[in-house]
Amino acid sequence: MTSAELILGIVTLQRVAELVISNDNTRKLMARGAIEVAARHYPLIVAVHAAWLIALWAFGHGRPVNVVAFLFYLVLQGFRFWVMRTLGPRWTTRIIVLPEQALVSAGPYRFLSHPNYAVVSFEIAVLPLALGLPLLAAIFSILNAAVLAIRIRAEDRALAASGQAARGVQ
């Protein structure tokens, strides 16, 4: 097993675990009266992220690891966990609005409206760079930016419609 394969294996397991957490949180939020908004674009987000991982496995599994870029990726994981911890049971990969709940304004939400999306944007660029794949970094950064443009507009509209500001459940 190469170091790149080890890294990709851990990232893949992390993403699967996050989907399990997200689905569990979504189910619990819906049981509390939350609603999902703008679900039509969600398969597109899943497709971009799945294609990113598949492309990394296909082209990066035997590549040498750029240690500096990988260390930056690890720092991003700290920010990812900060976002998830701050949102707690409200963290999900879908746009879920819980009426009558105050928006989260602690942690990274004090500084950014959408810190999770910032982290993901960097991750999508940095991990391919850590594996010496700048073309993949560029392609998937563009694709991610396109789906995030759709998602952020939808999320901001949903939060505004529910009387909440731009900082919300992500």
Side-chain angles (χ1 to χ4, degrees):
M1 175 181 289
T2 68
S3 56
E5 289 170 336
L6 178 62
I7 290 167
L8 291 173
I10 292 169
V11 170
T12 302
L13 289 174
Q14 176 189 5
R15 294 303 198 259
V16 169
E18 288 172 359
L19 284 175
V20 170
I21 292 167
S22 173
N23 289 338
D24 186 53
N25 286 347
T26 297
R27 184 182 48 75
K28 290 175 182 174
L29 287 165
M30 301 294 259
R32 292 176 50 201
I35 56 167
E36 182 175 2
V37 179
R40 286 191 338 212
H41 76 277
Y42 186 71
L44 184 58
I45 289 174
V46 171
V48 168
H49 286 258
W52 175 75
L53 267 176
I54 291 166
L56 286 172
W57 274 103
F59 299 109
H61 66 90
R63 307 276 306 194
V65 176
N66 176 315
V67 175
V68 173
F70 181 64
L71 289 174
F72 184 56
Y73 183 82
L74 290 178
V75 169
L76 289 170
Q77 297 319 291
F79 286 110
R80 169 185 283 285
F81 294 127
W82 188 24
V83 167
M84 291 176 72
R85 181 180 165 117
T86 300
L87 289 174
R90 292 173 68 177
W91 182 84
T92 179
T93 58
R94 297 176 177 271
I95 300 175
I96 305 295
V97 177
L98 190 58
E100 309 298 323
Q101 289 290 311
L103 291 171
V104 174
S105 60
Y109 291 88
R110 291 177 290 176
F111 310 108
L112 291 173
S113 296
H114 301 285
N116 193 56
Y117 304 149
V119 169
V120 168
S121 295
F122 279 114
E123 286 176 333
I124 283 184
V126 172
L127 191 55
L129 293 176
L131 299 176
L133 299 168
L135 185 58
L136 282 185
I139 289 168
F140 283 99
S141 290
I142 291 165
L143 291 172
N144 185 59
V147 296
L148 280 183
I150 295 165
R151 182 173 182 99
I152 290 171
R153 277 196 302 269
E155 185 171 312
D156 287 346
R157 276 195 306 267
L159 294 172
S162 70
Q164 299 175 0
R167 291 194 172 127
V169 177
Q170 296 185 358

